[in-house]
Amino acid sequence: MQGGRAGRWRRSRRVGAAFTVLAVFAGGLWFADDRGYVDLGAVRAGSSGGTDTEPLAAGTPRPTAAPSDPAFAALPTLTSPWKGSPARRWAEGADAIDLPEAEQTGRIPAERMARAMKAVGSFLAAAHLDRDVLHGAMPDRALDLVDPLQKKLLSEARHHLRNPSRKGDGSQFATRFDGGRVRLVGDAVKVRGRMTAEEGEGGRALVAADYTFVYALRHADDRANDRAEVTRVVVRRRLTTEVLPQGWDFTPGTLWITESGYEVSGVACERGADGYFHPEFPSERTGDRDGPTVDPYDRSRKLRSEDPAQGCGVATRV
């Protein structure tokens, strides 16, 4: 079975950042304003309620169970990278980051809420969908959305992205693969999730985002080979954002990051902390994972909580 990992990074307005591999990585942003391997032994039958190629409706309702799409006993290929994955019916790219209708929330008017949610969507796209970033570039467009008053956070982010280590490798800020070793298959990244808003304390508004991104990848030197290996990596990102009433100290048009979180499946998590997710291809899987078993497509569950003693984790399918 294919491995995965999770991480946690949390920041308050007074406490420094911390990143722990193999812990729940819960996420959030404060918007300032104005700016597996397919487990062949676990193949499930069933119907999704539509045709095999019919696109799913936007993922606004909170899911209550794992997707019931049939998991075909077949591996992805260059021409069919979504074969065997529920993501084959998901929307693609930034357009899949659906924004709810903006309404006044707490003391925040609807117009500001609309801008806040759009900014969160822009951050997600810049950090987890930009093709250059996915192939290893710095997520400069995403970091430019962060409030410059967060000097410590931005300094730490750029340091960890440029000098990754086990103390911090930048994975909390961006999804990156080693472009010299692997490349995306085609132009599509499958995306599904939801964004919600609710009133917080003191008239503040909370904007929560929970999105799953699915990437199909090949070896960098495999381009048109019919026998080229293809695999998928599933990354779930959660963010909770605050939109603050007037009177707080912030830079208009920026995001204030308080927490951010992820869970990734389909990677070789025993590799060193180099800032990249390293996909596991079919020929590389050993089946010796001993961590908790999860379905990365089950968006009804919380991000898994792990500690180092639990091992890497096992994905039932990717």
Side-chain angles (χ1 to χ4, degrees):
M1 295 184 182
Q2 197 155 25
R5 74 174 191 246
R8 182 173 193 158
W9 180 85
R10 185 184 298 273
R11 183 176 177 88
S12 70
R13 296 183 187 86
R14 295 188 178 91
V15 181
F19 174 68
T20 305
V21 175
L22 300 179
V24 174
F25 188 95
L29 300 174
W30 166 32
F31 177 68
D33 184 16
D34 289 339
R35 258 233 314 199
Y37 171 35
V38 178
D39 180 3
L40 302 185
V43 174
R44 298 187 300 176
S47 171
S48 60
T51 65
D52 201 42
T53 57
E54 179 184 347
L56 289 176
T60 300
R62 181 176 182 177
T64 58
S68 59
D69 299 37
F72 299 115
L75 295 173
T77 65
L78 286 177
T79 55
S80 300
W82 311 113
K83 182 185 297 184
S85 168
R88 69 189 180 281
R89 295 180 58 209
W90 291 7
E92 301 173 358
D95 290 342
I97 302 176
D98 300 298
L99 306 182
E101 183 177 353
E103 299 178 349
Q104 177 163 336
T105 307
R107 291 164 51 193
I108 312 301
E111 183 181 358
R112 285 189 61 200
M113 291 299 299
R115 292 198 298 269
M117 291 185 286
K118 184 176 180 180
V120 172
S122 295
F123 182 91
L124 291 172
H128 310 303
L129 292 175
D130 182 278
R131 196 171 184 85
D132 290 337
V133 173
L134 294 177
H135 287 146
M138 284 283 290
D140 291 324
R141 288 176 53 227
L143 294 179
D144 287 345
L145 287 169
V146 179
D147 193 323
L149 294 176
Q150 287 197 285
K151 295 179 181 179
K152 181 176 176 61
L153 182 146
L154 286 169
S155 176
E156 290 172 346
R158 292 191 170 98
H159 173 76
H160 291 321
L161 286 161
R162 293 190 176 111
N163 305 284
S165 70
R166 294 196 178 277
K167 293 182 179 180
D169 69 354
S171 296
Q172 65 269 41
F173 299 105
T175 301
R176 300 195 300 169
F177 303 97
D178 185 347
R181 293 178 178 270
V182 299
R183 308 292 290 184
L184 291 177
V185 176
D187 297 323
V189 174
K190 295 289 189 172
V191 184
R192 187 161 182 80
R194 61 198 298 263
M195 190 180 299
T196 59
E198 63 181 46
E199 183 176 356
E201 297 179 357
R204 292 176 291 176
L206 305 177
V207 178
D210 183 342
Y211 287 88
T212 299
F213 303 84
V214 186
Y215 308 90
L217 300 118
R218 59 173 173 81
H219 293 286
D221 54 357
D222 284 338
R223 302 193 179 197
N225 183 353
D226 290 339
R227 296 184 179 181
E229 284 191 301
V230 175
T231 192
R232 289 184 292 260
V233 171
V234 183
V235 186
R236 184 176 173 187
R237 299 273 180 180
R238 296 189 65 180
L239 304 116
T240 303
T241 75
E242 289 185 341
V243 190
L244 303 180
Q246 296 298 328
W248 287 71
D249 187 15
F250 57 76
T251 303
T254 62
L255 297 166
W256 187 286
I257 299 180
T258 57
E259 295 179 288
S260 55
Y262 76 84
E263 179 182 284
V264 56
S265 298
V267 296
C269 57
E270 66 272 11
R271 300 224 178 177
D274 59 2
Y276 301 128
F277 293 142
H278 293 277
E280 276 194 330
F281 288 87
S283 63
E284 301 167 344
R285 295 165 188 159
T286 62
D288 58 355
R289 303 294 187 201
D290 57 2
T293 299
V294 297
D295 180 352
Y297 290 99
D298 183 0
R299 294 182 36 78
S300 67
R301 62 179 177 81
K302 297 180 179 180
L303 295 183
R304 74 180 185 272
S305 177
E306 296 182 327
D307 61 55
Q310 288 184 297
C312 182
V314 180
T316 59
R317 55 180 176 174
V318 293

